[in-house]
Amino acid sequence: MAQISPQPGIMDIALYQAGESRIEGQAEVLKLSANENPFGCSPKASAAVAASISELHRYPNVDHRSLRAAIAEIHGLDPARIVLGVGSDETIDKLCQAYAGPGLEVMHTQHGFAMYRISALSHGATPVEVPEKDRRVDVDAILAHLTPLTRLVFIANPANPTATFLDIAELTRLADGLPPECLLVLDGAYAEFAPGYDGGAALVDSRDNIVMTRTFSKAYGLGGLRVGYGYGPAHVTEVLNRIRAPFNLSVPALQGAEAAMADQEWVQTCLEVNAQERQRLTGGLIQLGLGCDDSFANFVLARFADADTASAADAFLKSRGIIVRHPKSYGFPDALRITVGRPEDNTRVLQALADFQGAA
Ligand SMILES: *Cc1c(COP(=O)(O)O)cnc(C)c1O
């Protein structure tokens, strides 16, 4: 018997599964498994990262003032209430550390992002899974599952892996139904892809118990740099600033993200292509007889007849050098999540799936 044992809950964590990036025996692969920007990041961001190497012997600044100001200016936020993290994953984790813990509950939805459960368990809290309805977050189900022990409710909007969306009226109804001791976290990892959506920023400003998380990993194409942030009421951001590592963001991360935020023209171009292409991909999948909801993100969820067919389609795509995500652990054994790629990538995916369906 080992004398050294981790805190309760930690061994219940299943290791995080990232989108695959390799196929045995294939050198060139088309990776559409992690919702990355197929065009990469802004050239100005990579130039800023390259320029930062002359400063690598210096500690980064602790208050992140310059990057917070850049984010605040673009999004019309109060810079004092932005807290930067090593990806939004860090903000999710710090929220669980600060507000949940043994004996308290953290709510997430049936097909919700894996990090909510992982972070809840790693801080000894109890994750509570609530059903979704037709692959959408169900506000009534969340409200029905609240208990006096619920401290955090996490929803991703647009959601991953479903790509579905709740409008502001539904979010407001959810916010109105929560007790004051319960914090609602609106994970806006894909907010940029939903036309006209502010990620919930205005809702955050109107309440005391809502936090929005955002990231540079998706629309900004900087998943490898690890930068995200939370935006919330001052009483929450003051807590998060106390428990985050003071030097959590590196010099390249701070400088690269700031240059990326400043280059809105580049982001807008990527978003326009994504909007056209996700529609073409969705239409193409439906024409092939597959199920596919309208996407509000940079990926689509293609639904097959059953789990075996989805596995066979996954294998077929791999044989063509295409890696997508089989989201079994998200409750979709019968579906494949496909990141919207460049136009030529999407043509390749649709052609491969047409061949798969034709051969079936
Ligand atoms: C990709 C993703 C994130 C972003 O994680 P980072 O740590 O910012 O890279 C957060 N939430 C959801 C739902 C995601 O899909």
Side-chain angles (χ1 to χ4, degrees):
M1 253 303 261
Q3 299 293 304
I4 296 175
S5 52
Q7 289 293 300
I10 289 178
M11 294 312 288
D12 297 331
I13 297 173
L15 286 183
Y16 184 84
Q17 307 217 335
E20 293 172 75
S21 57
R22 267 190 288 268
I23 303 174
E24 198 69 47
Q26 298 218 25
E28 293 269 324
V29 295
L30 172 55
K31 186 187 177 199
L32 300 174
S33 59
N35 302 339
E36 295 152 338
N37 186 329
F39 299 104
C41 69
S42 156
K44 291 176 180 161
S46 32
V49 169
S52 77
I53 62 171
S54 66
E55 289 174 59
L56 290 184
H57 59 301
R58 303 284 181 209
Y59 272 91
N61 72 44
V62 169
D63 68 14
H64 307 150
R65 183 182 303 269
S66 184
L67 177 54
R68 285 189 295 109
I71 294 168
E73 189 187 319
I74 296 295
H75 290 299
L77 306 177
D78 173 2
R81 293 185 287 117
I82 295 172
V83 181
L84 286 149
V86 180
S88 42
D89 284 355
E90 186 189 17
T91 308
I92 292 166
D93 189 69
K94 293 293 167 192
L95 285 165
C96 288
Q97 180 183 348
Y99 295 103
L104 298 172
E105 295 174 358
V106 174
M107 199 184 282
H108 63 87
T109 63
Q110 186 181 1
H111 306 296
F113 187 44
M115 285 313 298
Y116 311 148
R117 179 182 160 83
I118 290 175
S119 290
L121 286 169
S122 75
H123 296 292
T126 305
V128 174
E129 183 180 302
V130 170
E132 297 191 10
K133 200 170 169 185
D134 299 329
R135 298 170 298 282
R136 288 180 85 238
V137 169
D138 182 352
V139 170
D140 294 309
I142 292 175
L143 297 177
H145 283 78
L146 290 168
T147 79
L149 300 174
T150 313
R151 286 297 178 277
L152 286 160
V153 173
F154 282 101
I155 67 168
N157 196 44
N160 173 20
T162 53
T164 57
F165 182 67
L166 295 189
D167 63 21
I168 288 290
E170 288 174 285
L171 294 179
T172 305
R173 192 162 74 81
L174 173 56
D176 285 344
L178 293 180
E181 73 277 9
C182 180
L183 202 54
L184 172 62
V185 184
L186 299 175
D187 177 342
Y190 302 98
E192 290 85 359
F193 300 102
Y197 179 51
D198 68 353
L203 213 49
V204 169
D205 285 339
S206 74
R207 320 268 160 147
D208 240 7
N209 63 338
I210 306 184
V211 174
M212 163 179 87
T213 61
R214 302 288 290 264
T215 184
F216 285 82
S217 300
K218 305 289 160 56
Y220 289 86
L222 289 170
L225 204 59
R226 311 305 303 130
V227 187
Y229 59 97
Y231 181 66
H235 73 92
V236 172
T237 55
E238 282 165 14
V239 165
L240 296 179
N241 272 324
R242 282 177 164 75
I243 57 174
R244 72 170 170 85
F247 301 109
N248 58 345
L249 294 193
S250 67
V251 170
L254 288 167
Q255 298 191 2
E258 187 173 338
M261 185 51 58
D263 192 358
Q264 284 297 309
E265 195 183 321
W266 188 88
V267 180
Q268 288 310 319
T269 305
C270 294
L271 292 178
E272 279 163 32
V273 175
N274 176 75
Q276 280 175 12
E277 287 295 307
R278 73 182 168 194
Q279 203 176 349
R280 185 166 74 92
L281 205 46
T282 305
L285 293 170
I286 289 171
Q287 269 191 347
L288 289 173
L290 304 173
C292 188
D293 296 318
D294 280 344
S295 167
F296 291 82
N298 64 341
F299 55 89
V300 298
L301 188 69
R303 304 194 312 277
F304 294 81
D306 52 40
D308 286 347
T309 313
S311 292
D314 190 27
F316 189 88
L317 289 173
K318 280 204 176 77
S319 74
R320 296 275 179 100
I322 303 169
I323 307 180
V324 299
R325 182 77 189 260
H326 192 177
K328 288 175 272 197
S329 62
Y330 284 92
F332 288 112
D334 59 345
L336 295 178
R337 190 193 70 187
I338 307 168
T339 303
V340 178
R342 300 167 302 173
E344 60 271 32
D345 302 334
N346 306 323
T347 299
R348 201 171 137 190
V349 167
L350 286 172
Q351 185 58 55
L353 285 173
D355 293 346
F356 172 77
Q357 295 285 90

